Amino acid sequence: MYINGETRVCGLMGNPIAHTLSPLIHNTLAERMGHNLVYVPYPVAEDKVKEAVQGAFALDVQGMNVTVPYKSAVMPYLESIDSLAAKIGAVNTLVRGSTGYKGYNTDMEGLYRAMRSEGIQIEGEDVLLLGAGGAARAVAFLCAEKGAKTVRILNRSVEKAKQLAAEVNQTLETDSVIGMALEEYQKLPQKRFLAIQSTSVGLHPHTERAVISEKSFYDRIHTGFDLIYKPERTQFMAYTEDSGGRAYNGLKMLLYQAVIAYELWNNITIPEEEIQLLTIRLKEACVTDEK
Ligand code: ATR
């Protein structure tokens, strides 16, 4: 990497961010695409979100990613917000405009591209969504927006599932989203669903856990997509495969949300072969990290 007077800076704000893989993805992209651009992590204190956004703009930072816990907190300090991100109520990417940043949510489109790259369809599917937190929220909007036939949100706190379902239905003018308690899966029709695991259960270091462990649940899944990518094969994925389903982790979602952000910042399309190469590098980094 060669830094000179014309190097453009992009970065990530969040807290904590010490284990982020985003610098690896973006700096690899900059190197591969021959861009004079560097991507750096910015840990930001909870009471400094406004200063961070305005300070980044003042310092000519070209683009920012925003991660937990600031995806909603940054929104009041933006020049404008993409309509889909506004509906979700969360942004993860800031693109520089003339007087401030415009906020986008590339998590959602990232998940969509990751699923498509694995041949997974949302259109016309009956979806089971595990979880009703921040991550599940974007997934619920994605599934309803992309034409899932039904989206059943299953959550430990049933009220949160029902509230999220009502919000998505109202915003997107549909009635396809239903909130349920976790154990209510037993009442589901005897058929196979597309399941998306959006809770934090099973995340490293508690890798032996899954939000539901009964085989009768996994017998109802044809494809299981876990948003978690550490460990590489989660317990949810193992159960899904044991019951004959196909299972995927969240690494490609992480990759594609970054690729889309990079494309927005640089007004380009990243060629598919570069994405393949990045996938290999990311997998290597995850393996090293788990050791
Ligand atoms: P994130 O931003 O990663 O989505 P979050 O907003 O805190 O994080 O949401 C965490 C999700 O994991 C929620 O759906 C949560 O269920 P509750 O709404 O009932 O809290 C779910 N979750 C976390 N720990 C859980 C556990 N031990 N069992 C079941 N669900 C759990």
Side-chain angles (χ1 to χ4, degrees):
M1 185 189 305
Y2 177 68
I3 295 178
N4 61 12
E6 291 178 40
T7 303
R8 295 185 301 137
V9 178
C10 289
L12 166 71
M13 61 179 278
N15 197 359
I17 51 171
H19 296 288
T20 177
L21 288 168
S22 293
L24 170 71
I25 302 175
H26 288 287
N27 289 316
T28 303
L29 276 172
E31 182 194 313
R32 297 284 311 170
M33 304 307 290
H35 290 154
N36 188 353
L37 183 156
V38 62
Y39 182 100
V40 288
Y42 294 111
V44 170
E46 209 172 307
D47 60 347
K48 289 284 184 279
V49 172
K50 179 181 177 186
E51 287 87 343
V53 174
Q54 293 176 346
F57 190 78
L59 287 170
D60 202 34
V61 171
Q62 298 296 304
M64 290 284 277
N65 278 137
V66 183
T67 189
V68 178
Y70 303 134
K71 290 184 181 184
S72 302
V74 295
M75 292 175 77
Y77 312 116
L78 305 180
E79 175 189 83
S80 58
I81 296 169
D82 168 68
S83 64
L84 204 54
K87 283 180 192 166
I88 302 168
V91 304
N92 77 321
T93 301
L94 311 185
V95 177
R96 196 176 176 82
S98 54
T99 59
Y101 293 107
K102 178 170 182 181
Y104 291 84
N105 189 313
T106 72
D107 287 330
M108 217 181 85
E109 199 59 28
L111 175 60
Y112 188 60
R113 269 172 72 171
M115 291 178 107
R116 273 200 326 205
S117 80
E118 304 288 10
I120 306 169
Q121 277 225 333
I122 292 179
E123 295 83 352
E125 274 289 340
D126 290 304
V127 178
L128 302 180
L129 172 57
L130 296 175
R137 195 179 162 78
V139 181
F141 272 96
L142 172 72
C143 293
E145 167 95 7
K146 297 289 183 190
K149 197 157 105 200
T150 58
V151 183
R152 291 177 174 86
I153 303 174
L154 283 72
N155 198 43
R156 176 177 61 180
S157 320
V158 63
E159 277 318 311
K160 272 171 71 180
K162 289 193 167 153
Q163 195 186 331
L164 177 57
E167 232 180 287
V168 180
N169 283 335
Q170 192 185 3
T171 310
L172 299 181
E173 296 179 359
T174 173
D175 57 4
S176 59
V177 191
I178 305 151
M180 301 166 57
L182 284 177
E183 55 282 5
E184 282 187 274
Y185 80 81
Q186 291 158 358
K187 296 187 206 155
L188 294 173
Q190 286 292 347
K191 56 165 287 191
R192 292 220 174 211
F193 293 81
L194 165 63
I196 304 173
Q197 201 303 109
S198 313
T199 77
S200 45
V201 183
L203 187 62
H204 179 83
H206 304 292
T207 55
E208 74 296 346
R209 298 189 191 159
V211 69
I212 298 177
S213 48
E214 288 84 2
K215 189 171 183 305
S216 54
F217 174 71
Y218 295 92
D219 287 343
R220 289 178 160 95
I221 298 178
H222 64 72
T223 305
F225 199 106
D226 201 329
L227 301 199
I228 293 174
Y229 56 84
K230 200 177 164 190
E232 197 178 353
R233 187 171 185 253
T234 63
Q235 191 59 56
F236 167 83
M237 292 167 65
Y239 284 145
T240 301
E241 286 177 341
D242 288 350
S243 283
R246 293 186 300 163
Y248 303 89
N249 69 23
L251 200 68
K252 279 205 166 172
M253 177 186 177
L254 173 77
L255 177 72
Y256 276 105
Q257 64 74 28
V259 164
I260 298 165
Y262 195 94
E263 289 178 339
L264 284 170
W265 293 330
N266 294 288
N267 215 2
I268 54 163
T269 302
I270 310 275
E272 197 50 43
E273 54 272 24
E274 292 299 333
I275 296 175
Q276 301 303 335
L277 184 123
L278 265 173
T279 310
I280 295 165
R281 289 223 184 153
L282 254 187
K283 280 187 182 157
E284 284 166 0
C286 286
V287 170
T288 313
D289 204 30
E290 271 182 38
K291 275 183 189 155

